[in-house]
Amino acid sequence: MLKKTKTLGYNGNYLGPVVELKKGKTVTIRTVNRLSEATTSHWHGLVVPSSVDGGPHQVVKAGETKVVKFKVKQNESTLWFHPHPMGKTAEQVYKGLAGLLYVKDEKTKETMLPQKYGENDIPLILQDRKVKNRNVLGYADVEKTDGALGDTLLVNGTINPYFNVKYSQLRVRLINGSNARNYVVKLSDGSSFKKIADDGGYISKPKNVKKIELSPGERIEVLVDFSKRKIGETVSFETNGVRVVNFKLKDKQGTNLSALAPKSGYEKPLKTLSTVNQKLTLFGMGKNVEINGKKFDETRIDIKAKQGETEIWEVYNKKDMMGGMTHPFHIHGVQFKVLERNGQKLDNQETGLKDTIAIKPDERVKIQMTFKEKGVFMYHCHILEHEENGMMGQLKVD
C-alpha cells in the first residue's frame, strides 16, 4: 500500500515556483511561515546585504510573516533559494523547501540565447531521495552520517521525466539541490554540448564539454544542439548510469547557433591579485567536521573584511586517515572567481563567477572576490549535514 510522504514547499506541496528578478529593480518578497517550526529564506547566490540574505540570523518563527526588500544588482544568472535555520536546514531542504531564482537583464535581449521558459529554456533540479516499497522515506528514516543520500533520482520533484524538444537548440539550467550527493552529467550518446554559464552568470567564452560535475549548491547552464538530429530521435542526460531526463525531438524551430554567444551580461575579467588574505582548512567527516580546527559558534566572528576590498582566499581540504571526502565550499553574499586548483591556473574566460566550489581531498584552491555588501555572512560546506555539524564560519564585512 502506498503512503503519502510528508513534504514541504513554497506556495505548494513540494519545491517552489521559479522567481524571476530583473537587474536594477527593487524587489519585495513576503514570506509567511505556515510551518510548525522556524525557518529562513536564503537567496543562494544573490549579492545582497546580510540583513536580507536569509541566513541563520534572519529567522521567521512559526506563524510569523517577514518582508525583505533589496535591489538586484548582478548580471543574468541562475540562482536558488532554500531555508537556512540552525539545526533544521538539511531536513527542511530534504522535505522539499527549495526553488529557483532567475536574474534577467533587459540589456542582454540582443543575444540569441534560448529564453522561452518551459519551451527552449528549462531548469532541472537534481535531488536524490530514499525510496522503499515505492514510498519516499522521510528524513528521519534516512542514513545521513555524511549527508542524506538517496537511491532514487528526482528531477523537478518527479521520477523519470521526459521533455519534448521543439527547437534546434535547448538551454538547460542544471541545479544540484541534493543534501550531499555529487553528480557527473553527460549525454547518453557521448556527444558534446556547450557550457555557457556558471553559478554567477555567463562565461565569456562558451566551452564544448562532454560532461559536467555538480556538487551540492552548484548550478551550470548548457546548450544542447539538436539541429543535426532527426525528428523523433531521443537522447538523454545521464548521471552515474541513471537517466536524468529524456529529450525527444519533435520539431526543429531554428536558432542560429553561431549567434548564441552572449555579447554582454558576463562579468569582465578582474585584475588578478597575488597576495593571499585568508587561509582556510576544511577537515573531517560525519560529526567530526571543522574549519581551521573550529566548529561553528554563532557568537564568534571568524573573518573580518572591508566593503569594496578584494581578497584572495586559499581553501584546503585536508585528508584524514580514511582519505576524506569532497566538500562543496559556499560563501554567502559574494561571487568569486577561481584562480587556481593545486597551483594550476585556470582560464577565467571558460570559468565564470561562482559562489560554491567542490574541493576534493588534499586539493587546494585559490579564489578571489570583492565584498560589495555589508553585514555578517556565512561560509560553509554545502553538504547540509556537515554545515549543521559545525563546518561553518562567519564573515563580517564593515
Side-chain angles (χ1 to χ4, degrees):
M1 179 180 176
L2 294 179
K3 296 187 297 183
K4 288 186 177 180
T5 302
K6 292 183 178 180
T7 62
L8 303 177
Y10 296 100
N11 294 358
N13 293 328
Y14 191 77
L15 296 179
V18 173
V19 178
E20 185 176 297
L21 307 179
K22 297 289 180 63
K23 183 179 180 180
K25 301 293 185 180
T26 297
V27 177
T28 301
I29 300 178
R30 180 171 175 260
T31 300
V32 180
N33 184 6
R34 293 178 179 166
L35 305 179
S36 59
E37 61 191 20
T39 190
T40 78
S41 295
H42 168 51
W43 318 108
H44 183 126
L46 265 183
V47 180
V48 292
S50 70
S51 58
V52 295
D53 174 67
H57 302 296
Q58 289 93 45
V59 169
V60 186
K61 295 179 181 178
E64 284 189 344
T65 296
K66 184 178 180 66
V67 177
V68 296
K69 189 175 183 179
F70 54 83
K71 187 172 183 178
V72 182
K73 300 178 182 179
Q74 62 207 89
N75 289 331
E76 289 200 340
S77 47
T78 301
L79 314 176
W80 65 309
F81 56 96
H82 60 79
H84 213 295
M86 283 303 301
K88 281 290 183 178
T89 298
E91 181 176 358
Q92 290 184 4
V93 172
Y94 188 89
K95 288 182 175 180
L97 282 188
L100 296 184
L101 292 170
Y102 287 3
V103 175
K104 293 293 189 74
D105 185 353
E106 294 294 320
K107 294 181 180 178
T108 61
K109 279 191 172 179
E110 82 277 6
T111 72
M112 294 296 291
L113 284 168
Q115 299 185 60
K116 296 181 179 179
Y117 175 76
E119 296 184 38
N120 60 4
D121 180 353
I122 65 166
L124 300 177
I125 305 173
L126 278 58
Q127 298 173 303
D128 58 328
R129 297 293 181 263
K130 186 75 172 179
V131 175
K132 184 176 181 180
N133 298 328
R134 298 176 64 196
N135 295 308
V136 177
L137 296 183
Y139 185 75
D141 300 314
V142 178
E143 167 59 38
K144 42 190 175 288
T145 301
D146 273 304
L149 296 174
D151 55 14
T152 301
L153 179 65
L154 271 62
V155 180
N156 298 347
T158 192
I159 299 173
N160 295 327
Y162 65 91
F163 187 80
N164 291 327
V165 180
K166 299 180 181 179
Y167 290 82
S168 296
Q169 279 79 40
L170 185 66
R171 177 183 190 167
V172 182
R173 305 175 191 241
L174 289 144
I175 302 95
N176 186 342
S178 290
N179 284 39
R181 186 173 297 281
N182 299 306
Y183 298 102
V184 178
V185 179
K186 59 185 179 180
L187 286 171
S188 54
D189 62 359
S191 58
S192 63
F193 46 97
K194 196 177 294 288
K195 174 184 173 182
I196 61 169
D198 256 318
D199 295 339
Y202 299 129
I203 58 178
S204 56
K205 187 169 68 176
K207 181 182 180 181
N208 286 321
V209 296
K210 289 197 172 184
K211 65 178 182 180
I212 54 172
E213 299 182 15
L214 284 170
S215 68
E218 288 187 293
R219 292 90 59 210
I220 286 181
E221 295 183 36
V222 301
L223 293 176
V224 184
D225 183 16
F226 290 87
S227 61
K228 297 179 182 179
R229 297 184 184 273
K230 297 179 180 178
I231 300 295
E233 187 176 347
T234 298
V235 66
S236 304
F237 264 141
E238 295 180 344
T239 179
N240 305 324
V242 176
R243 188 176 72 194
V244 175
V245 61
N246 254 359
F247 296 121
K248 187 170 184 178
L249 186 57
K250 294 287 189 177
D251 197 359
K252 291 198 287 187
Q253 298 178 37
T255 305
N256 182 4
L257 192 61
S258 64
L260 287 173
K263 300 174 185 176
S264 63
Y266 55 83
E267 291 286 339
K268 304 302 185 292
L270 300 173
K271 182 180 179 180
T272 300
L273 305 181
S274 57
T275 302
V276 174
N277 303 92
Q278 300 289 341
K279 291 187 176 182
L280 301 180
T281 298
L282 314 179
F283 181 72
M285 296 171 65
K287 293 187 176 182
N288 300 313
V289 289
E290 58 190 33
I291 300 179
N292 283 359
K294 299 176 182 178
K295 285 186 174 289
F296 176 69
D297 181 347
E298 61 182 4
T299 67
R300 184 186 69 228
I301 298 298
D302 299 279
I303 296 175
K304 292 183 178 181
K306 295 291 184 182
Q307 186 181 29
E309 286 189 349
T310 300
E311 290 191 357
I312 292 177
W313 289 11
E314 182 181 278
V315 189
Y316 173 56
N317 183 358
K318 182 181 177 181
K319 292 173 64 175
D320 59 18
M321 291 185 295
M322 300 294 291
M325 61 185 296
T326 298
H327 294 294
F329 182 71
H330 171 56
I331 310 177
H332 289 210
V334 73
Q335 292 282 341
F336 55 80
K337 72 172 182 176
V338 184
L339 303 180
E340 296 180 7
R341 278 188 183 270
N342 285 338
Q344 182 175 354
K345 293 183 179 180
L346 302 184
D347 181 354
N348 282 103
Q349 285 187 305
E350 296 181 354
T351 304
L353 289 178
K354 295 186 63 60
D355 51 64
T356 308
I357 180 171
I359 307 176
K360 297 176 182 178
D362 206 31
E363 191 169 49
R364 193 182 305 268
V365 302
K366 288 184 181 179
I367 58 177
Q368 178 176 310
M369 70 210 88
T370 301
F371 303 107
K372 298 180 179 180
E373 300 291 347
K374 289 185 176 182
V376 176
F377 299 95
M378 305 293 107
Y379 57 88
H380 58 86
C381 175
H382 217 281
I383 294 175
L384 299 181
E385 286 77 10
H386 281 184
E387 167 201 319
E388 292 187 350
N389 290 337
M391 205 172 207
M392 182 161 67
Q394 294 191 107
L395 159 71
K396 185 177 182 181
V397 181
D398 291 315

